[in-house]
Structures are given as structure tokens and as C-alpha cells.
Amino acid sequence: MLDGTVAPEKYPLAPMVTWWPVINFNDGPVFERLRGAVLESLQRFDRRGIRRYVTRFADQLIDAFASNGQADLVAEFSSQLPMLVMTQLIGAPEEHGPRLVRAVPDMLEGTETALESDEYVTKMLYQLVESKKASRGYDLTSWLLDHPARLTDVEVLAHVRVVLVAAYATTANLIANTLRMVLTDPRFRANLSGGRMTLTEALEQVLWDQTPINTVLGRWATADTKLGGQEIKRGDMLLLSLAAGNVDPAVRPDLTVPVHGNRSHLAFSAGAHECPGQDIGRAIADTGIEALLARLPDIELTVHDFELERRGTLMSQHLVRLPVRFEPRSVAATAPRPQPDPLPPLAPPEEAVQPATVRPRPWRWSWLSRLLGRR
């Protein structure tokens, strides 16, 4: 736009391209300060503790359809599990999970209601930050508030938002894509069930072949340059294609050759801006799929592979449905499963992270205040 803005105020993709004070929109000292806080806070989660939450929610979701003998694994499993788990990890009340399952993909797809969904997510996270300021917990929001890097309230909100959105987008697609491979590729399933390939290796193969996020938005050239023989002008918006990088002939001349155990794909980007929460996504996908296949080992598709529909957006492609059938299982009417113990923080590092000497530029609450109806 001539006035320097990226898009009209009500642009549906605004939630994904509007500048926030987060690691993916910064570099230099500010980036280092913010990334250190996010990475160290995420590393405080215990992997076994995360798996307890995943198993609990996976069992709840499976219980809801196990007696039916059929299910849509996108609507009833893969699209719900990551958000239910992440709601716990950020410290949000559990009742927000189902609404977030609808709101976050709505933002990502840039629908007519994307801005309304963005407003809901932002308000919810604002309330979460305010509640954690009054009462800390064993969760990402509390750890960001307490980090020595001294994040502002908006920086905490913004990074919880980034983690929530990124975790959903990547993990929901990773679960669905892996289950599709299991259900449609006999060799893939045989290798998995026969022990010739672990589930962890299977996930990495899917990350190579079907990246959960195809394109990263919102990178702008800060100066005129040339990249790959293409002229790029200052201010040009760049779309970074992770999926294209994974099929570069210089890296994979034969796409049919398995790449078991190879994590050098670009599904989570690479370098300084590599996704800091990728191992949490892997843990959710790995544990959730394991729980599903253990409880429903006879699961099979009810349609042919070529009938499976995919919906494409600027950022990703995802399965619309994954209809399956299996022998119905009765779910015993037992008492509710006990709540998992709170996730304990790891022992503090020997050398505390010191705040950067360069403070971030002041971030006024004006935009957020207007959104929340405050002055």
C-alpha cells in the first residue's frame, strides 16, 4: 500500500501477516533476547509429562467414537488433540480447548470470520496473561512472565499466541498425514507394524514428504538484493516454501527412496529461526498416533486414497476428512480418569540468563486496548 501498510485493516490474512513483537518478526539483539526466553521456557517441559497429557486427551477422544465402529479422524482426532494438549501447556482453562480448535484454523485459513477468531484468541490470551500475573503455575505463560529476559506483557501474550498457532498448524497436519500414510501405503504400514521402522522414523518420513506447513508468510526484504537469480526489491514480501525445499533434486534426486532417521528436512525451517517447539509437536503426534493404533489396530479407510479431499490455503494443505471403520469397542462406564500431576519445572540452570542490555522498543497497548474495548 502507498501508506506503508501491508493490507487493508479487515484483510482476512491480517492475523498471519500483521507485525507482532515476536521472534519470527525480529533479528539481532531483540531476537536473541526473545528466542532465549521462548526456548528456555519450552525446554522446562518434561517430555514424559507432556505424554501424560497427550495420552489422557487421546483416550478421551477415542472413547467418544470407539463404540461407533467408524470415525472421521480429522474432525474427531487430529484437529482436536494438539489444541487440547497445548491449552494445558500454556496454562489456559480447559474449557477454552474446544473453542480454540475452531478459532485457530479459522485464522490460518483466512476465512470471512478469521478476524473474529483472531479477536477471540487475543482476548483469551490477554485474560490468561492477567490471571498468571496474579497466580503463577507450571506452564509456558508463567515461565515467560518470570524469565530473566523481562518480557513485556504484550511480548508474553504474543509468544504464547505464536506457540499455540504453530503447534496446532504443524501437529494437526502431521498427525493426519501420518495416519493417511499408515492407512493407504501397505509397505509403510508393514514396515511400521513389523518393527523395521519406528513411529518416530515414520513421522520424519512424513515431514519430508508432506510438510505440515508449505509456506511461511510475512518476510520482507530490508534492502535490494538478488537471490537465486531473482531480483528482490526493498519492501518486497517473500513467501518461503518449506515444501519445495524438501523436494529439491539436489537434496533428494529420487523421492521414492526412504530417508529414515534423517532430520535435515525443512518442515520446521532451519537456522536461527528454526521452530523452537518442534519436539513438543513430535511428542504430541507420536504419542497420539501410538494411542490410536494401540486401541484400534484394525482401523481401515472407508474410501479409496484418491477420494480423500485436501483443502489448500496459502500456508498449507490439509486433509478435509479421513473416514475410517473398525470393530466397535465398548467403553467401560468408569469414573473419570484422574487428572495428571502438574508438570514440574526443571532445576534452574547454573548460570541464569541475564537480560539483554538492549531493551526492546516500547510497545504501547493502544492496538490491544482498542481490540479489548479499553482506553
Side-chain angles (χ1 to χ4, degrees):
M1 305 282 291
L2 294 177
D3 62 357
T5 59
V6 176
E9 184 178 352
K10 296 188 179 298
Y11 183 54
L13 284 177
M16 294 295 100
V17 299
T18 300
W19 188 91
W20 280 76
V22 290
I23 50 178
N24 46 312
F25 287 152
N26 280 286
D27 283 297
V30 174
F31 166 78
E32 295 295 337
R33 182 181 68 89
L34 295 174
R35 181 175 174 81
V38 173
L39 186 60
E40 288 157 21
S41 296
L42 289 173
Q43 287 175 341
R44 293 182 68 171
F45 285 117
D46 174 65
R47 191 178 181 92
R48 288 173 296 180
I50 293 174
R51 288 183 179 277
R52 291 203 305 271
Y53 281 113
V54 179
T55 301
R56 170 194 167 198
F57 286 116
D59 280 337
Q60 287 181 1
L61 293 172
I62 297 167
D63 286 349
F65 58 74
S67 61
N68 300 335
Q70 60 183 6
D72 173 8
L73 294 184
V74 171
E76 299 177 71
F77 191 75
S78 68
S79 67
Q80 296 195 47
L81 182 60
M83 191 58 69
L84 295 174
V85 175
M86 290 307 301
T87 301
Q88 295 289 311
L89 299 188
I90 67 173
E94 192 167 314
E95 59 266 23
H96 284 291
R99 176 73 186 273
L100 287 170
V101 167
R102 298 189 299 272
V104 171
D106 196 41
M107 290 165 49
L108 291 169
E109 293 180 20
T111 67
E112 294 180 355
T113 56
L115 297 177
E116 295 175 18
S117 295
D118 180 47
E119 181 175 352
Y120 165 75
V121 172
T122 303
K123 283 185 175 180
M124 187 279 288
L125 293 179
Y126 172 82
Q127 294 167 358
L128 175 63
V129 172
E130 290 298 305
S131 69
K132 293 302 176 181
K133 286 165 62 180
S135 178
R136 300 291 201 272
Y138 294 128
D139 53 69
L140 177 64
T141 309
S142 297
W143 295 334
L144 288 174
L145 284 168
D146 286 339
H147 195 275
R150 295 183 293 163
L151 272 64
T152 66
D153 290 355
V154 175
E155 287 173 340
V156 172
L157 183 156
H159 283 96
V160 174
R161 181 180 184 273
V162 165
V163 170
L164 193 66
V165 172
Y168 169 81
T170 57
T171 312
N173 278 349
L174 177 57
I175 293 173
N177 289 338
T178 304
L179 288 172
R180 187 198 72 82
M181 289 290 289
V182 170
L183 295 169
T184 62
D185 188 332
R187 186 177 62 176
F188 189 90
R189 188 165 188 169
N191 286 337
L192 190 59
S193 61
R196 291 183 293 276
M197 176 173 60
T198 66
L199 184 53
T200 299
E201 291 173 335
L203 289 174
E204 297 305 323
Q205 182 67 54
V206 173
L207 287 168
W208 271 104
D209 295 335
Q210 297 177 327
T211 56
I213 294 181
N214 293 344
T215 307
V216 177
L217 302 181
R219 299 296 186 272
W220 287 270
T222 58
D224 293 349
T225 186
K226 181 180 287 188
L227 180 64
Q230 300 296 315
E231 296 286 345
I232 298 174
K233 299 297 183 182
R234 181 177 182 271
D236 283 351
M237 182 178 179
L238 306 181
L239 303 180
L240 309 182
S241 178
L242 305 180
N246 274 4
V247 295
D248 187 337
V251 178
R252 297 180 66 191
D254 184 353
L255 298 180
T256 65
V257 176
V259 285
H260 296 168
N262 189 333
R263 283 195 175 192
S264 60
H265 53 72
L266 297 178
F268 297 107
S269 190
H273 285 276
E274 185 174 9
C275 175
Q278 58 185 277
D279 286 339
I280 291 179
R282 284 187 174 97
I284 295 173
D286 187 312
T287 308
I289 293 172
E290 184 178 42
L292 179 72
L293 296 181
R295 298 226 6 219
L296 305 173
D298 59 336
I299 200 167
E300 59 181 31
L301 271 179
T302 60
V303 299
H304 293 291
D305 188 18
F306 64 82
E307 296 179 87
L308 293 175
E309 180 185 353
R310 286 186 174 274
R311 178 177 300 155
T313 68
L314 187 57
M315 294 183 64
S316 67
Q317 282 193 349
H318 61 271
L319 286 167
V320 176
R321 296 178 65 245
L322 194 60
V324 296
R325 59 175 170 248
F326 46 86
E327 187 67 28
R329 268 80 168 172
S330 61
V331 179
T334 58
R337 288 179 174 80
Q339 298 286 323
D341 297 330
L343 298 177
L346 298 180
E350 295 181 1
E351 296 182 4
V353 178
Q354 298 299 320
T357 56
V358 179
R359 292 289 290 162
R361 64 180 178 177
W363 176 257
R364 296 177 296 178
W365 281 89
S366 56
W367 172 83
L368 191 56
S369 298
R370 290 196 301 274
L371 178 61
L372 300 173
R374 297 169 180 263
R375 298 292 179 190

